[in-house]
Amino acid sequence: MSAKVQTVDGTHNADLLVLPGDTNTNAQKAVKWLADDRVIALLGDSSEPTWLSWTRSEAFRDAFQNRGYGDGEPDPSLVVAAKIGQLVSTYRYTWGDGPSDSDVLRAPDESLVTIEKKTPPE
């Protein structure tokens, strides 16, 4: 990770959580992070199946007004999700040869800029 990218050791300090697509994190934890206005990025071949399992959970249905899922083809290598109001928006990224390090850093940054523009002021 570039020294220019600020990182933290604990998830309680993070605004953006980058997790492997095959994470063991359960839907309840993901919903809590999203509800706390944190952005989640799932990276890897299993990102979309993991995201879809979370969005089909009771915890997700109870917390948000939309179902938040859509199945893309081909499966994305990166899924970025954020709560905007009572809805969850997702941003999906696919790279033909797999993402480069700069792709992995640039895509969430682009998503964060879009999320910030869509988020109503408090």
Side-chain angles (χ1 to χ4, degrees):
M1 185 65 66
S2 167
K4 294 178 185 177
V5 177
Q6 182 181 5
T7 61
V8 295
D9 291 329
T11 57
H12 63 282
N13 292 327
D15 294 325
L16 169 65
L17 298 145
V18 180
L19 306 170
D22 61 353
T23 181
N24 291 327
T25 301
N26 63 36
Q28 292 80 12
K29 178 61 101 178
V31 165
K32 181 176 180 348
W33 287 334
L34 290 167
D36 288 344
D37 292 322
R38 296 184 184 179
V39 177
I40 298 174
L42 293 168
L43 178 63
D45 293 338
S46 299
S47 10
E48 187 167 66
T50 298
W51 175 250
L52 293 176
S53 74
W54 289 350
T55 61
R56 292 178 177 137
S57 72
E58 187 175 323
F60 193 93
R61 285 191 308 270
D62 290 347
F64 307 112
Q65 291 179 358
N66 66 327
R67 304 241 179 219
Y69 62 84
D71 196 357
E73 283 296 324
D75 283 352
S77 300
L78 176 68
V79 176
V80 179
K83 178 180 75 93
I84 300 173
Q86 287 302 308
L87 302 174
V88 174
S89 292
T90 57
Y91 307 87
R92 292 168 168 81
Y93 299 88
T94 304
W95 297 275
D97 296 330
S100 67
D101 290 346
S102 63
D103 290 333
V104 172
L105 294 173
R106 187 175 33 254
D109 187 52
E110 290 171 3
S111 296
L112 290 171
V113 169
T114 303
I115 291 163
E116 186 175 329
K117 289 177 183 176
K118 288 182 174 182
T119 304
E122 292 183 16

